[in-house]
Amino acid sequence: MTTMSVTGVSRWFGNVVAVNDVTMTIGPGITGLLGPNGAGKSTLINMLAGFLPPSAGTVALDDTPVWKNPDAYRAIGLVPEREAVYDFLTGWEFVLANAELHGLPDPGAATRRALATVEMEYAQQRRVGEYSKGMKQRVKMASALVHDPAVLLLDEPFNGMDPRQRLHLMELLRTMGIEGRTVLFSSHILEEVEQLASQIEVVVAGRHAASGDYREIRRLMTDRPHQYTIRSSDDRALASALIADGCTTAVSLDDVDQVLRVETSQFFSFAELLPRLARNAGIRLYEVSPTDESLESVFSYLVQS
Amino acid sequence: MGVNNTIVRLTARSMLGGRRLYLLAGLAALLLALALLLRLFADVSATDSAEFIQAVSLGTLLPLFGLIVGTGTIGPEIDDGSVVYLLAKPVSRHVIVRSKLAVAVTTTVTFAAVPTFLAGLIMVGDRAGIALAYGIGALVAGIVYSALFLLLAVATRHAVIFGLVYALIWESLVGTFVPGARTLSVQQWALSVAESIASPGVITADVSLGVALTLAAVVFVAATWYAGERLRVLTLAGDD
């Protein structure tokens, strides 16, 4: 079990603050590093991978700082975002070279195992330069796994993958997480993170905006209005009952869609209130759906704040 | 002075696998062709031959080769980011630099020092020790240039431009007009070594052999060490 910790880390480039006082712990299982482009995700991963010193704070693997510490790479596997690899090598040669550079006792066996894990044996004799983007991503993955690392860092691993390759990589990462490895991947695509990560760290504009699973993150935003769409037997009566109670901040009738739109800032009390109000008023609720429970909306709230 | 065999192999393959090989071989062939033409169609004295080799080989070819080869061993990898596969390993960054340097030196010797020696042989045979003198001189220059330009490639993303400025401005211009600067010229160190090998009076250098060898050794060792230090703190800034 290996943990990476980021403690009070800031990183600036000249006048630009890329990462601003971030503290997080990345433990075993899959962690998703989520944020829009330019949020500082790559900067964070580069610091975690020991390729960038923090301007302030520490980045450590268990208790050892990773900067200027090549020995840390015995425990870290890195899948960089950039596509460049040694194009003139075959897939086999590339992964084998990585195994040799790790000083593994049996680089050939490790290479076979890593290529099998990413199901790339069929193309291992072809030059990496001829690979498709998804194949390259997999062979990069194999090179990162060849020394059986406890920590796997992936920078935007799903970029450029087709849906089938995406599913395959998700499956692979899930297995890694179940095996107790510490897996961190960055993404700006919400669905990927939602589907895969048990833990989400949201980074917005260099700041650590939220941490938890996505519902937790959503509930952290209690001061934000939550929106619901409601269909009932009598929308107008329900609207007046809701507005009479202090729980809601806005109620509107949508005549076009024949629905009632409700905004509340009190997530939990609203959940209790609504059925009670409806029953007391003799109104039948046909549909109650949160319109903004997706990570997308959480995200846009976080970006605004 | 440990090197890593895997890095040596990877570097040699990327170095000699593409167009760079043709460029290097072409330049070496050009030198030999010029030497042959001069030998066949012009009546050149030993002194003229010495001047020719000095200007073409030590003055032009060696700095150019050092630049192409020294930066070529690591510059493209740093530019495209693939160097990350070497750096994300439990391998000392100094070992990485020394492995790269071993390839650079071998390449420069093969494609510059040996052709220089052969060009000398073609032009003057074994008269006055000229061929051997310039061959060894080219060897010294090749070794020092390789280390210098490798350092440059690690230290800056604009290595080729700085290297060209160095080769053109410093070695050629400043060395020509400011006599004192010649003490700090790789070309002069190489000449000094050549001077000591050839028959007296054929080759003249402005730097004494002791100073030349000392400076060459110091620059080589310091550049190699410092390149390793720079590689230790090489940052791969994020794209986002």
Side-chain angles (χ1 to χ4, degrees):
Chain A
M1 296 286 163
T2 308
T3 303
M4 294 211 72
S5 54
V6 174
T7 316
V9 164
S10 297
R11 171 72 211 196
W12 47 85
F13 298 97
N15 287 334
V16 182
V17 179
V19 170
N20 192 346
D21 194 20
V22 169
T23 297
M24 58 172 75
T25 307
I26 301 139
I30 303 181
T31 302
L33 186 62
L34 176 66
N37 285 332
K41 302 188 299 293
S42 286
T43 306
L44 256 176
I45 288 195
N46 275 324
M47 288 193 283
L48 284 163
F51 287 119
L52 196 64
S55 304
T58 51
V59 177
L61 173 77
D62 286 332
D63 289 321
T64 325
V66 290
W67 176 243
K68 278 191 168 186
N69 176 19
D71 274 335
Y73 298 116
R74 289 184 203 285
I76 297 176
L78 174 68
V79 183
E81 184 184 6
R82 295 179 76 170
E83 253 193 81
V85 288
Y86 296 96
D87 281 348
F88 53 89
L89 298 178
T90 65
W92 171 269
E93 288 169 336
F94 175 64
V95 179
L96 182 68
N98 279 278
E100 288 173 357
L101 287 168
H102 274 295
L104 301 181
D106 187 351
T111 303
R112 255 190 302 282
R113 187 180 47 75
L115 284 166
T117 306
V118 300
E119 292 174 18
M120 279 293 285
E121 299 114 312
Y122 74 97
Q124 66 184 24
Q125 297 307 337
R126 278 164 59 189
R127 278 161 29 100
V128 177
E130 298 164 8
Y131 283 3
S132 72
K133 210 166 179 185
M135 290 164 83
K136 257 192 189 165
Q137 195 67 28
R138 271 149 75 186
V139 87
K140 277 159 65 182
M141 184 84 179
S143 80
L145 289 175
V146 77
H147 60 304
D148 198 19
V151 177
L152 193 59
L153 303 173
L154 306 101
D155 198 357
E156 296 278 355
F158 297 101
N159 264 3
M161 284 197 158
D162 66 35
R164 201 179 52 83
Q165 293 166 333
R166 194 177 292 246
L167 280 178
H168 180 257
L169 181 59
M170 281 194 176
E171 210 38 59
L172 196 59
L173 292 183
R174 273 194 197 103
T175 315
M176 304 278 148
I178 292 164
E179 287 170 356
R181 283 177 225 263
T182 301
V183 179
L184 176 84
F185 75 99
S186 70
S187 173
H188 60 281
I189 296 172
L190 315 167
E191 290 75 18
E192 291 169 359
V193 179
E194 244 174 328
Q195 283 172 40
L196 196 56
S198 49
Q199 176 75 15
I200 298 175
E201 308 290 346
V202 185
V203 184
V204 180
R207 289 176 179 276
H208 191 195
S211 173
D213 75 16
Y214 88 98
R215 282 186 183 79
E216 250 175 273
I217 291 170
R218 187 65 183 79
R219 296 210 176 92
L220 283 174
M221 321 283 303
T222 43
D223 56 335
R224 300 265 163 210
H226 295 222
Q227 292 168 0
Y228 292 89
T229 318
I230 300 172
R231 285 177 208 277
S232 68
S233 55
D234 189 346
D235 285 351
R236 198 165 284 276
L238 184 62
S240 72
L242 280 171
I243 204 72
D245 194 279
C247 241
T248 50
T249 50
V251 176
S252 69
L253 279 163
D254 188 330
D255 284 336
V256 182
D257 291 341
Q258 297 286 310
V259 292
L260 183 62
R261 297 191 194 284
V262 180
E263 229 179 74
T264 171
S265 57
Q266 286 156 292
F267 182 79
F268 292 107
S269 38
F270 178 77
E272 290 170 39
L273 171 82
L274 179 66
R276 187 155 42 82
L277 268 183
R279 194 182 60 227
N280 291 349
I283 300 166
R284 198 177 284 247
L285 291 174
Y286 296 135
E287 183 189 325
V288 179
S289 55
T291 51
D292 59 349
E293 187 71 351
S294 76
L295 204 43
E296 187 101 44
S297 63
V298 176
F299 208 58
S300 58
Y301 283 145
L302 288 166
V303 177
Q304 283 160 20
S305 62
Chain B
M1 287 298 280
V3 296
N4 180 302
N5 290 335
T6 306
I7 299 177
V8 168
R9 212 180 58 228
L10 285 175
T11 308
R13 281 188 65 176
S14 76
M15 187 77 184
L16 305 174
R19 272 166 294 178
R20 205 179 283 115
L21 176 67
Y22 300 120
L23 179 64
L24 296 176
L27 284 170
L30 187 68
L31 174 69
L32 293 179
L34 281 174
L36 196 61
L37 284 175
L38 283 173
R39 173 67 192 261
L40 290 177
F41 300 111
D43 185 23
V44 285
S45 65
T47 324
D48 292 340
S49 305
E51 269 172 21
F52 168 79
I53 296 174
Q54 185 172 324
V56 174
S57 171
L58 286 187
T60 312
L61 205 56
L62 258 299
L64 199 58
F65 265 67
L67 184 65
I68 296 171
V69 170
T71 58
T73 48
I74 198 163
E77 266 170 277
I78 293 178
D79 283 344
D80 73 13
S82 58
V83 74
V84 71
Y85 296 100
L86 296 185
L87 299 182
K89 298 291 182 295
V91 177
S92 152
R93 305 279 161 98
H94 288 285
V95 170
I96 297 178
V97 165
R98 289 200 295 263
S99 309
K100 297 269 177 195
L101 186 58
V103 177
V105 167
T106 311
T107 312
T108 317
V109 168
T110 312
F111 289 99
V114 171
T116 300
F117 171 67
L118 292 177
L121 275 188
I122 290 170
M123 291 183 76
V124 293
D126 55 1
R127 264 188 291 160
I130 288 176
L132 187 65
Y134 279 115
I136 302 290
L139 180 73
V140 171
I143 291 171
V144 178
Y145 279 133
S146 297
L148 266 182
F149 288 126
L150 178 58
L151 166 63
L152 210 54
V154 175
T156 164
R157 307 251 162 145
H158 310 289
V160 173
I161 295 182
F162 282 113
L164 275 176
V165 168
Y166 167 81
L168 292 177
I169 308 284
W170 185 261
E171 290 280 349
S172 306
L173 275 179
V174 179
T176 311
F177 295 115
V178 187
R182 290 178 203 159
T183 317
L184 294 177
S185 150
V186 177
Q187 194 185 328
Q188 287 297 328
W189 304 341
L191 273 179
S192 173
V193 172
E195 182 186 30
S196 70
I197 294 170
S199 305
V202 183
I203 304 170
T204 45
D206 299 332
V207 188
S208 75
L209 182 64
V211 172
L213 286 178
T214 310
L215 285 175
V218 166
V219 166
F220 175 76
V221 171
T224 309
W225 174 81
Y226 190 55
E229 287 301 300
R230 288 303 298 248
L231 201 58
R232 285 182 73 199
V233 297
L234 184 79
T235 58
L236 299 174
D239 289 337
D240 74 355

